[in-house]
């Protein structure tokens, strides 16, 4: 399928895991993709991999909390491709397993900065360049619905993204759609402290209706749907991609 032919997509935190699967899928569906993360080496390696699959791409270093790097990400994309059709805000941090009441202020600030505020600031920078019919996708988490101990405050920042999706969808309509994906558990580096533990992993698998963890490709398939005109009448929604884990009615 080439649903994204001629589109230009920025995806943050896209040199591995879910973000990389998204740029790869977008690229294979015909988009020009801008791959980014904090480390130049990771950006270079991701660009190499994408090019070897025939994907048109540009690599840019961008720590999402760095305002100059966010500006560069947007400006270099526009310089190279002339427009932006898709933005996926995918970066997140989960720096502590402390209970909320024990969390240091610096950790609370980091969670807010990276998981919520950076999405807003990136979209402020990108908004003037977004094409008519553009699609914005935020990456939340199943834990946004049920913030669990050991990642409770992280979960709360993801709950905020569910609200941000609704608010931005209203603010950016009718020219842009804004939707959100709430992944279940995917065995990436980010989640390996959970998914590498065989007992916890089994528990999570049993807690899904489909009896397995998610894959980065499961998330990328949903992102491609939300980025494409197949979802042209969907905005302000969160799609839970979690194998039927409990989320909401
Ligand atoms: P991952 O495999 O660990 O990949 C993280 C990526 O983010 C890397 O490319 C990393 O590259 C980049 N990165 C980290 N901090 C960054 C920052 N401050 N600015 C820019 N790039 C940064 O992670 P993942 O599991 O794919 O997670 C992606 C998203 O999915 C996150 O929003 C996460 O909350 C969400 N999610 C994941 C799961 C799961 O089970 N995996 C479940 C629910 C939601 P550099 O080191 O080069 O920066």
């Amino acid at each position: 399928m080439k649903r994204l032919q001629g589109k230009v997509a920025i995806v943050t935190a896209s040199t591995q895991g879910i973000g990389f699967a998204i740029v790869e899928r977008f690229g294979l569906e015909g988009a020009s993709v801008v791959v980014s993360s904090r480390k130049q080496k990771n950006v270079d390696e991701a660009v190499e991999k994408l090019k070897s699959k025939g994907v048109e791409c540009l690599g840019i270093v961008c720590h999402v909390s760095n305002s100059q790097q966010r500006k560069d990400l947007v400006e270099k994309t526009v310089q190279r491709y002339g427009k932006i059709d898709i933005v996926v805000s995918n970066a997140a941090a989960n720096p502590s397993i402390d209970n909320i009441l024990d969390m240091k202020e610096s950790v609370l600030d980091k969670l807010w900065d990276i998981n919520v505020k950076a999405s807003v600031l990136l979209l402020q920078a990108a908004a003037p360049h977004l094409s008519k019919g553009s699609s914005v996708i935020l990456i939340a988490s199943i834990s946004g619905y049920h913030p669990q101990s050991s990642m409770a405050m992280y979960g709360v920042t993801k709950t905020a993204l569910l609200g941000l999706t609704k608010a931005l969808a209203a603010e950016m309509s009718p020219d842009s759609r804004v939707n959100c994906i709430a992944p279940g558990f995917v065995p990436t580096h980010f989640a390996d402290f959970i998914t590498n533990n065989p007992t916890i992993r089994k528990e999570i698998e049993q807690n899904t209706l489909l009896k397995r963890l998610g894959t980065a490709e499961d998330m990328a398939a949903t992102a491609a749907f939300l980025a494409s005109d197949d979802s042209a009448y969907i905005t302000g929604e969160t799609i839970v991609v979690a194998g039927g884990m409990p989320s909401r009615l």
Side-chain angles (χ1 to χ4, degrees):
M1 273 192 293
K2 290 276 185 189
R3 294 177 295 181
L4 304 179
Q5 198 72 52
K7 307 260 189 200
V8 176
I10 289 178
V11 184
T12 64
S14 50
T15 56
Q16 65 179 46
I18 293 170
F20 183 78
I22 292 174
V23 279
E24 185 178 38
R25 176 70 186 251
F26 284 6
L28 294 175
E29 290 223 27
S32 300
V33 295
V34 181
V35 58
S36 68
S37 75
R38 294 168 300 181
K39 299 183 193 111
Q40 184 72 57
K41 183 172 169 287
N42 293 345
V43 171
D44 293 344
E45 284 172 7
V47 164
E48 268 317 296
K49 280 192 215 154
L50 291 167
K51 285 195 170 152
S52 73
K53 297 193 172 186
V55 170
E56 167 56 38
C57 63
L58 171 66
I60 300 172
V61 167
C62 178
H63 186 315
V64 293
S65 293
N66 180 313
S67 68
Q68 185 56 50
Q69 292 184 357
R70 281 193 309 267
K71 197 164 173 265
D72 280 356
L73 181 63
V74 169
E75 283 181 0
K76 287 181 181 165
T77 301
V78 175
Q79 271 163 24
R80 165 78 82 98
Y81 296 116
K83 60 169 184 165
I84 304 170
D85 301 297
I86 302 160
V87 178
V88 182
S89 184
N90 173 60
N94 184 21
S96 164
I97 55 165
D98 286 347
N99 290 330
I100 293 175
L101 294 182
D102 297 325
M103 236 170 216
K104 290 196 182 112
E105 189 172 351
S106 58
V107 174
L108 292 170
D109 287 344
K110 184 170 183 183
L111 279 163
W112 167 253
D113 273 0
I114 295 179
N115 297 5
V116 185
K117 195 172 86 175
S119 292
V120 174
L121 293 172
L122 176 67
L123 290 171
Q124 286 180 355
H129 307 283
L130 286 175
S131 58
K132 205 169 157 54
S134 53
S135 171
V136 171
I137 301 167
L138 307 181
I139 304 297
S141 167
I142 188 75
S143 64
Y145 290 96
H146 298 280
Q148 296 148 344
S149 62
S150 90
M151 45 200 290
M153 196 59 214
Y154 160 85
V156 173
T157 62
K158 295 297 192 177
T159 311
L161 294 184
L162 310 182
L164 186 63
T165 301
K166 292 276 181 209
L168 286 176
E171 200 169 311
M172 297 177 77
S173 68
D175 287 346
S176 301
R177 298 181 295 110
V178 183
N179 291 295
C180 180
I181 297 172
F185 287 89
V186 181
T188 62
H189 177 61
F190 189 80
D192 60 13
F193 74 107
I194 299 171
T195 53
N196 279 353
N197 178 320
T199 313
I200 301 178
R201 186 184 170 118
K202 187 130 198 83
E203 235 170 68
I204 296 169
E205 285 168 351
Q206 288 311 315
N207 201 23
T208 69
L209 299 181
L210 300 179
K211 305 300 172 208
R212 68 169 175 89
L213 299 182
T215 64
E217 291 71 26
D218 290 326
M219 308 307 141
T222 305
F225 166 68
L226 288 175
S228 78
D229 290 343
D230 282 352
S231 59
Y233 201 50
I234 300 177
T235 194
E237 298 296 339
T238 297
I239 300 185
V240 178
V241 188
M245 282 179 81
S247 55
R248 60 184 171 196
L249 267 185

